Amino acid sequence: MQHSYRQLADAIGADIRASRYQVGERLPSVRLIAETQHVSVSTAIRCYRYLESQGLVEARSKSGIYVADWKSRQTTSTVTQKKNSQAAPAVEYDKLMSLQHRMTELYSLTAQPLHLGLHLASAAPEWYPCESLAKIAQRLLRQDPMLIGVYPGGTGLPALKTSLIQWLKNAGMDLQANDLLITNGSTEALSVALRAVAQPGDAVIVESPVYFGLLQMLENLGIKAIEIPCVPGQGISLEALEYALEHQGTVRAIVAMPNFQNPLGCAMPDKNKKRLLRLVEQYDLALIEDDVFGDLSHQQERPQAIKAWDKQGRVIYCGSCSKSLAPAFRIGWIAGGRYQARINSLKLSASLITPLFEQAVLAEFIQSGALPSHLRKLRERLAANIPLATAAISRHFPLGTQVISPAGGWWLWLELPEHIDSLALLRQAVAKGIAFTPGSLFSGSGKYANYLRMHIGRPWGREMEQGIKTLGTLISEM
Amino acid sequence: MQHSYRQLADAIGADIRASRYQVGERLPSVRLIAETQHVSVSTAIRCYRYLESQGLVEARSKSGIYVADWKSRQTTSTVTQKKNSQAAPAVEYDKLMSLQHRMTELYSLTAQPLHLGLHLASAAPEWYPCESLAKIAQRLLRQDPMLIGVYPGGTGLPALKTSLIQWLKNAGMDLQANDLLITNGSTEALSVALRAVAQPGDAVIVESPVYFGLLQMLENLGIKAIEIPCVPGQGISLEALEYALEHQGTVRAIVAMPNFQNPLGCAMPDKNKKRLLRLVEQYDLALIEDDVFGDLSHQQERPQAIKAWDKQGRVIYCGSCSKSLAPAFRIGWIAGGRYQARINSLKLSASLITPLFEQAVLAEFIQSGALPSHLRKLRERLAANIPLATAAISRHFPLGTQVISPAGGWWLWLELPEHIDSLALLRQAVAKGIAFTPGSLFSGSGKYANYLRMHIGRPWGREMEQGIKTLGTLISEM
């Protein structure tokens, strides 16, 4: 939803006048207002400035925004306004630079209607087997509606575990039912995995650039992220990693996407995977392997998971159906090795259990043998778009643009000329109905400001060509 | 799944012989084995004893269980056996006393086939509107299968929020869409609420007796639980609470179920609710109000939520459809007041979003106006069972048995004669196919050993009468 600063101000003003906020009470920060109200930070600031002009709130520098003594202020609002309209931006300025802010900015920018969402996190709906899944779902509901009345228990639907164990053999894994826990998507899998191996104050190593959702998760868990460069065609730099491990005491785990890293899309060669695993064993660490893109290879063979070589149970494998099969189902899985018991317990107290209905539908779909042919089509479609997108970019983007060509998944990682700030570019692009993910989101320190991540997991056509041309023009004008 | 200690031992032994566990490596504790393999702790202990007798593992007192130097031990296994069969039980003895263990024991005991599960956490499936919900679900899937291919975003399906906002007026709440976040059941709601207001090392106040899932959640979050007596007909003792607040520095929040507390089933009078809220404001705390049973009053009017009087946004309201409407859906909601922004952010990095499909079905069901008549029936059925169950208990249970009669929900809280350990009773009852929840689970300190919680949310009949008679006989024999 989009609010104008004035609507927002009227709502908050009404709460203050109704004494839902007491005089002197601290109000939510600009950033939090932006997050909860789904407005841009600048809108939130304008909202508070307006409330200040009304004498309803006051900004205290380095402290926050408070309910003013408005009853007695009504007469002196001009003075108040003058004073605070200077104070206000200062108060929140530091926050404006944070990753949280960059994400808020992205969410609010992309919340508006777009005709080309190159920031999306799943392939085009028509590229998923929605019809077949819906048919299975309807049949299950017809056959046994009483399922809705049953309070489920356990670590996952046995039938789904059986199908997954069979399926995961393609990644070289040999699992038992008790090695596996079904989660609410891979996000919950990553979250419980991190909580199982690290405490607040600990540090974990992540790839750089890295999926911003992981950085936010670590921030929310109070775990420090140490960013180690990820090299196209190589994966995380093992040299840099070893150096960091020698010099960092508090590292508990490494979080990596060896297969089709987000955003680079690169696959780690097997020899690097084995070396990484040896480092994990040598430094007594856990390795959280995020394999949500593992099935989306651009070849017809998928690479092995590091978990396949894990003898000591140090690898916590996280997978999901959200990228490869059914985005809306929110079903993920985790094979936690020696940490499984702790992981099961954390999941139990994080969300009890995962809905059985979607699990039953997935189980039937996989058992029906329809998954391989679906993935074959999906892989072909993704692979076919890479040269088309790369050609379009070289046609329309300025000289000095570099494209990292992925080996799997649906993202292109673009390096733009030095002087381009892709977050500024996004603001202009959104005005033309086009969104992408700015590079500065892929690092806690705001690196990669002149990079962007582009989603190409959709049928190729004039719309894509045009969108890329528009972006190219905007960049050239900057 | 049930394993015999021998099957389990053979599996672990095979792993050791295949060097999947290295010599000297620490093995999972008895408790963890019990949890992950879904066996009782005693089975896990027998399993390790057997492996010791084989010279494959050794128990190091106060430390744990390790892979023995088995190759060289093969000859001296008798000695090993003698030494370790003494050491083994000592190692884990302390753990056997923990809440974790009591829960593990409950889970493993109740995992076996039962003909009367008086430990269950939802009403009988036929008491839920499964047919109508299934019909809505099938229609939605027919109308728009492509929904399965869409990656959802946001804080919840707007249509569900609209229906809930309307519905929650019955509890005296007046919410806007942005005040509400849809979660994966109330467990996730409670978990993110706690993480939003307390850090590891902080303390929160809980009612005593209290739902053991909350105690486990706090343990997993590293938050200390301070148990304050909950008085039938009164709710949490405000006198004890005030005393605790005066003497405890690190309390951040209070977690309470003012409406139909689990396990007591009592409702807090409005004047106590208001006093509780005043204390929360006075001591600058957050109040996490768990209202999952609020709709299950035994009268036709539901009581108000404390949130209804909350002017300062200090009450974090948690609700769910799992008890009242659709147990399998795992849909909950949270109205977090001033903490909403932080709560939204924590949910985002805990499980991203909540599946939209179940949300859409719930929204349509509530919009159809079918909820009130469903709840009327459910409330009548629950209320009708109280006198029946109480009468049966007074017929069959020994003198000195006290029944706390609930004002809502489906649980009876029974005090048995002093000398009865209800966990020991459970072991005997399960052998006769009957389960209930032993009292010692409802306190971190193992209090309430001579209490039990009995589920009566099912059609009354001979089976219930018989089950209660059997329990009564077992108690009398103890």
Side-chain angles (χ1 to χ4, degrees):
Chain A
M1 281 144 291
Q2 283 295 298
H3 301 259
S4 85
Y5 78 96
R6 184 60 191 272
Q7 284 173 287
L8 195 55
D10 292 341
I12 297 173
D15 286 347
I16 290 172
R17 290 203 171 80
S19 297
R20 281 196 58 205
Y21 291 113
Q22 309 296 318
V23 169
E25 184 179 346
R26 186 180 183 169
L27 290 159
S29 72
V30 164
R31 178 170 58 84
L32 300 194
I33 284 282
E35 277 181 334
T36 40
Q37 308 293 315
H38 307 296
V39 299
S40 73
V41 167
S42 54
T43 303
I45 289 176
R46 290 181 68 195
C47 155
Y48 272 140
R49 286 206 180 147
Y50 177 78
L51 287 168
E52 285 163 359
S53 71
Q54 303 300 300
L56 287 171
V57 312
E58 62 182 5
R60 300 179 193 163
S61 201
K62 301 266 166 303
S63 164
I65 295 157
Y66 293 77
V67 177
D69 183 4
W70 52 277
K71 287 167 185 137
S72 58
R73 288 264 185 110
Q74 295 305 302
T75 49
T76 61
S77 60
T78 359
V79 188
T80 321
Q81 175 177 17
K82 197 149 187 52
K83 184 173 126 276
N84 295 322
S85 54
Q86 292 153 357
V91 174
E92 293 290 328
Y93 185 74
D94 56 327
K95 291 215 180 74
L96 301 188
M97 300 289 86
S98 72
L99 175 70
Q100 278 289 13
H101 163 64
R102 295 195 295 276
M103 291 180 62
T104 308
E105 183 81 7
L106 175 73
Y107 291 143
S108 59
L109 280 171
T110 55
Q112 25 208 309
L114 300 162
H115 62 73
L116 189 58
L118 302 179
H119 64 296
L120 297 179
S122 62
E126 59 267 38
W127 284 10
Y128 293 105
C130 300
E131 294 284 353
S132 338
L133 291 165
K135 280 199 173 53
I136 295 171
Q138 291 174 70
R139 196 181 68 250
L140 290 176
L141 287 161
R142 242 188 348 266
Q143 285 168 349
D144 194 358
M146 278 301 158
L147 271 179
I148 294 173
V150 176
Y151 207 69
T155 56
L157 188 72
L160 177 60
K161 286 188 171 191
T162 310
S163 324
L164 284 176
I165 287 167
Q166 206 49 40
W167 182 250
L168 291 170
K169 289 186 193 299
N170 298 320
M173 282 179 281
D174 184 15
L175 301 171
Q176 311 293 318
N178 287 338
D179 303 331
L180 212 53
L181 167 73
I182 307 300
T183 60
N184 290 300
S186 65
T187 302
E188 183 175 68
L190 285 172
S191 171
V192 292
L194 283 165
R195 292 177 59 199
V197 298
Q199 302 296 319
D202 289 341
V204 303
I205 282 172
V206 302
E207 298 160 308
S208 179
V210 67
Y211 165 55
F212 48 88
L214 176 60
L215 294 174
Q216 188 190 30
M217 186 185 289
L218 290 166
E219 194 179 315
N220 280 331
L221 291 172
I223 299 170
K224 187 173 161 232
I226 299 171
E227 301 181 14
I228 300 293
C230 190
V231 186
Q234 295 296 312
I236 191 166
S237 160
L238 297 170
E239 295 67 26
L241 172 63
E242 193 154 10
Y243 179 87
L245 289 175
E246 277 165 12
H247 294 79
Q248 290 281 356
T250 63
V251 174
R252 295 280 172 262
I254 300 167
V255 186
M257 295 182 82
N259 298 323
F260 318 128
Q261 198 262 356
N262 178 358
L264 292 178
C266 61
M268 198 176 200
D270 284 356
K271 67 173 197 323
N272 293 34
K273 289 176 178 170
K274 292 176 190 165
R275 267 186 67 200
L276 175 55
L277 185 57
R278 274 199 301 277
L279 283 175
V280 166
E281 294 168 353
Q282 184 184 334
Y283 285 89
D284 189 24
L285 303 173
L287 173 62
I288 299 174
E289 180 176 28
D290 181 348
D291 196 43
V292 289
F293 285 102
D295 274 328
L296 300 188
S297 169
H298 293 169
Q299 277 136 26
Q300 284 304 345
E301 281 288 300
R302 69 146 290 159
Q304 289 222 343
I306 293 184
K307 181 76 177 168
W309 292 286
D310 177 31
K311 295 264 176 293
Q312 298 183 9
R314 293 178 178 275
V315 179
I316 303 176
Y317 177 91
C318 302
S320 155
C321 74
S322 303
K323 307 295 181 191
S324 53
L325 182 50
F329 276 15
R330 309 292 312 136
I331 299 291
W333 41 87
I334 184 165
R338 58 169 68 177
Y339 313 98
Q340 195 66 48
R342 172 94 179 126
I343 285 167
N344 290 349
S345 169
L346 288 169
K347 152 70 175 178
L348 201 64
S349 59
S351 68
L352 209 55
I353 42 75
T354 305
L356 288 184
F357 177 65
E358 284 85 352
Q359 294 187 57
V361 176
L362 281 183
E364 281 220 12
F365 183 84
I366 300 175
Q367 281 157 15
S368 77
L371 186 48
S373 59
H374 155 64
L375 283 180
R376 194 177 319 111
K377 262 186 272 130
L378 185 54
R379 288 165 173 168
E380 281 165 6
R381 286 163 157 167
L382 291 171
N385 274 7
I386 304 299
L388 295 169
T390 313
I393 288 162
S394 59
R395 267 196 298 281
H396 302 300
F397 276 40
L399 273 176
T401 303
Q402 304 285 341
V403 181
I404 306 295
S405 190
W410 46 62
W411 279 313
L412 291 186
W413 182 242
L414 272 61
E415 180 179 4
L416 305 173
E418 278 284 353
H419 67 284
I420 303 296
D421 173 355
S422 61
L423 188 52
L425 174 64
L426 178 63
R427 294 189 195 105
Q428 299 185 34
V430 164
K432 297 184 179 300
I434 305 171
F436 54 82
T437 316
S440 57
L441 261 73
F442 294 85
S443 162
S445 61
K447 270 187 297 190
Y448 311 114
N450 64 318
Y451 287 73
L452 68 80
R453 191 188 69 179
M454 181 185 288
H455 177 274
I456 59 162
R458 66 184 62 224
W460 192 266
R462 209 183 142 289
E463 193 187 36
M464 285 291 286
E465 182 80 27
Q466 263 308 321
I468 288 172
K469 184 173 181 185
T470 309
L471 286 178
T473 313
L474 287 172
I475 296 167
S476 310
E477 291 165 0
M478 285 174 90
Chain B
M1 276 148 295
Q2 283 296 301
H3 299 259
S4 85
Y5 78 96
R6 184 59 191 274
Q7 285 172 288
L8 195 55
D10 292 343
I12 298 174
D15 286 347
I16 291 172
R17 291 202 172 81
S19 298
R20 282 196 55 206
Y21 291 113
Q22 307 297 318
V23 169
E25 184 180 344
R26 187 180 183 167
L27 289 160
S29 72
V30 163
R31 178 170 58 85
L32 301 195
I33 284 282
E35 277 180 334
T36 41
Q37 308 293 314
H38 308 294
V39 298
S40 73
V41 167
S42 55
T43 303
I45 289 177
R46 290 180 69 196
C47 154
Y48 271 140
R49 286 206 181 148
Y50 177 78
L51 288 168
E52 286 164 356
S53 72
Q54 303 300 298
L56 288 171
V57 313
E58 61 183 5
R60 299 179 193 162
S61 202
K62 302 264 166 299
S63 163
I65 294 158
Y66 294 76
V67 176
D69 184 4
W70 52 277
K71 288 172 185 133
S72 57
R73 288 264 185 112
Q74 293 306 301
T75 49
T76 60
S77 60
T78 358
V79 189
T80 321
Q81 174 176 15
K82 196 149 190 53
K83 186 172 123 273
N84 296 323
S85 53
Q86 292 153 355
V91 174
E92 292 292 328
Y93 187 74
D94 57 327
K95 290 217 181 71
L96 300 188
M97 298 290 88
S98 72
L99 175 70
Q100 277 290 12
H101 163 65
R102 295 195 295 275
M103 291 181 61
T104 309
E105 183 82 10
L106 175 73
Y107 290 143
S108 59
L109 281 170
T110 55
Q112 25 209 309
L114 301 162
H115 62 73
L116 189 58
L118 302 179
H119 64 297
L120 296 180
S122 62
E126 59 268 38
W127 283 9
Y128 293 106
C130 300
E131 295 283 353
S132 336
L133 291 164
K135 278 196 175 54
I136 295 172
Q138 290 173 70
R139 197 181 68 250
L140 290 176
L141 286 160
R142 238 187 350 262
Q143 284 167 353
D144 193 359
M146 279 301 160
L147 271 179
I148 294 174
V150 177
Y151 208 69
T155 55
L157 188 73
L160 177 60
K161 286 189 173 191
T162 310
S163 326
L164 284 177
I165 287 166
Q166 207 48 40
W167 182 249
L168 291 170
K169 291 185 193 299
N170 298 321
M173 282 179 282
D174 184 15
L175 301 172
Q176 310 295 316
N178 287 338
D179 303 332
L180 212 53
L181 167 73
I182 307 299
T183 60
N184 289 301
S186 64
T187 302
E188 184 175 70
L190 285 172
S191 171
V192 292
L194 283 165
R195 291 177 59 199
V197 298
Q199 301 297 317
D202 289 340
V204 302
I205 282 170
V206 302
E207 299 161 308
S208 180
V210 67
Y211 165 54
F212 48 88
L214 176 60
L215 294 174
Q216 187 190 30
M217 185 184 291
L218 290 166
E219 194 178 317
N220 279 332
L221 291 171
I223 299 170
K224 188 175 162 226
I226 299 171
E227 301 180 13
I228 300 292
C230 190
V231 186
Q234 294 297 311
I236 190 165
S237 160
L238 297 170
E239 296 67 24
L241 173 63
E242 194 156 10
Y243 178 86
L245 289 174
E246 278 166 10
H247 294 78
Q248 289 281 354
T250 62
V251 175
R252 297 278 172 265
I254 300 168
V255 186
M257 295 182 82
N259 298 322
F260 318 127
Q261 196 262 359
N262 177 359
L264 292 179
C266 61
M268 197 176 201
D270 283 356
K271 66 174 199 321
N272 293 36
K273 288 176 179 170
K274 292 175 190 168
R275 267 185 67 201
L276 175 57
L277 184 57
R278 275 199 302 278
L279 282 174
V280 166
E281 293 167 353
Q282 184 184 329
Y283 285 89
D284 189 23
L285 303 174
L287 173 62
I288 300 174
E289 179 176 29
D290 182 348
D291 195 44
V292 290
F293 285 102
D295 275 328
L296 300 187
S297 169
H298 294 167
Q299 276 133 30
Q300 285 303 346
E301 281 290 299
R302 67 146 292 159
Q304 289 223 344
I306 293 185
K307 181 76 178 170
W309 293 285
D310 177 31
K311 296 265 175 292
Q312 297 182 10
R314 293 178 177 275
V315 179
I316 304 176
Y317 177 90
C318 301
S320 153
C321 74
S322 303
K323 307 294 183 193
S324 53
L325 183 52
F329 276 15
R330 308 291 313 132
I331 299 292
W333 41 87
I334 183 164
R338 59 169 67 177
Y339 314 98
Q340 194 67 47
R342 172 96 177 122
I343 285 167
N344 291 349
S345 168
L346 288 169
K347 152 69 176 179
L348 201 64
S349 59
S351 67
L352 208 54
I353 42 78
T354 304
L356 289 183
F357 177 66
E358 284 85 352
Q359 294 187 59
V361 177
L362 281 182
E364 283 219 11
F365 182 84
I366 299 174
Q367 281 157 17
S368 77
L371 186 49
S373 60
H374 155 63
L375 282 180
R376 195 176 319 108
K377 264 187 270 131
L378 185 53
R379 288 165 173 168
E380 282 165 5
R381 287 165 156 165
L382 291 171
N385 273 8
I386 304 299
L388 295 168
T390 314
I393 287 163
S394 58
R395 267 195 298 280
H396 302 301
F397 276 41
L399 274 174
T401 302
Q402 303 284 340
V403 182
I404 307 294
S405 191
W410 45 61
W411 279 314
L412 292 185
W413 182 243
L414 273 63
E415 180 178 4
L416 306 173
E418 278 283 354
H419 67 283
I420 304 295
D421 173 354
S422 62
L423 188 53
L425 173 65
L426 177 63
R427 294 191 194 104
Q428 298 184 33
V430 164
K432 296 183 182 299
I434 305 171
F436 55 82
T437 315
S440 56
L441 261 73
F442 294 85
S443 163
S445 62
K447 269 188 295 190
Y448 310 113
N450 63 318
Y451 287 73
L452 67 81
R453 190 188 69 179
M454 181 186 289
H455 177 274
I456 59 159
R458 66 183 64 223
W460 192 265
R462 209 183 144 290
E463 192 186 35
M464 285 292 284
E465 183 78 29
Q466 261 309 320
I468 287 171
K469 183 173 182 187
T470 308
L471 286 178
T473 314
L474 287 174
I475 296 167
S476 310
E477 291 165 359
M478 283 173 91

